[in-house]
C-alpha cells in the first residue's frame, strides 16, 4: 500500500492564525466600544429604552465574548501546533 502525501499550505495556515489574532484583538477591545455606543445613543425623542437595550445587550454578550476569545485562542494554538509539527517532520525527512 502506497503512502499518500500530505500537503500543508503553511502560508495559508499562518494567514488564518494572523486573522484569528486580529479578531481576538477586536473582541478584547469590544467592551469599550460598546460602552461608547450605548452612551452615543443618548435618548432619542426623550426615550431611554434604546440606550437601556444597548447596555443590556452589552452585559449579556460579555460572557459569550469571553468564551469566543478563549475558543479562538485555542484554535490559534492548535494551528501553531500543526505548523510546528509538520515543519519538524519536513526537516526530518
Amino acid at each position: 500500500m502506497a503512502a499518500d502525501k500530505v500537503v500543508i499550505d503553511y502560508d495559508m495556515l499562518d494567514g488564518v492564525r494572523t486573522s484569528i489574532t486580529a479578531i481576538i484583538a477586536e473582541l478584547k477591545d469590544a467592551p469599550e466600544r460598546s460602552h461608547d455606543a450605548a452612551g452615543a445613543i443618548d435618548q432619542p425623542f426623550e426615550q431611554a429604552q434604546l440606550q437601556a437595550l444597548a447596555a443590556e445587550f452589552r452585559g449579556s454578550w460579555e460572557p459569550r465574548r469571553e468564551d469566543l476569545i478563549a475558543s479562538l485562542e485555542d484554535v490559534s494554538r492548535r494551528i501553531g501546533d500543526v505548523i510546528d509539527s509538520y515543519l519538524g517532520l519536513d526537516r526530518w525527512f
Side-chain angles (χ1 to χ4, degrees), residues 4 7 29 41 46 56 62 65 72 74 93:
D4 292 328
V7 178
D29 289 342
I41 291 171
E46 305 303 320
E56 181 182 331
E62 186 64 23
R65 185 183 64 80
L72 288 171
D74 186 49
F93 293 103

Side-chain angles (χ1 to χ4, degrees), residues 27 30 34 56-66 68:
L27 286 169
S34 64
E56 181 182 331
F57 173 80
R58 181 176 47 116
S60 64
W61 166 244
E62 186 64 23
R64 290 171 180 85
R65 185 183 64 80
E66 291 295 330
L68 183 55

Side-chain angles (χ1 to χ4, degrees), residues 5 22 35 42 49 51 67 78 83-84:
K5 284 187 175 184
H35 181 68
D42 198 26
Q49 292 94 339
Q51 188 178 34
D67 291 343
R78 290 175 189 260
I83 291 170
D84 294 343

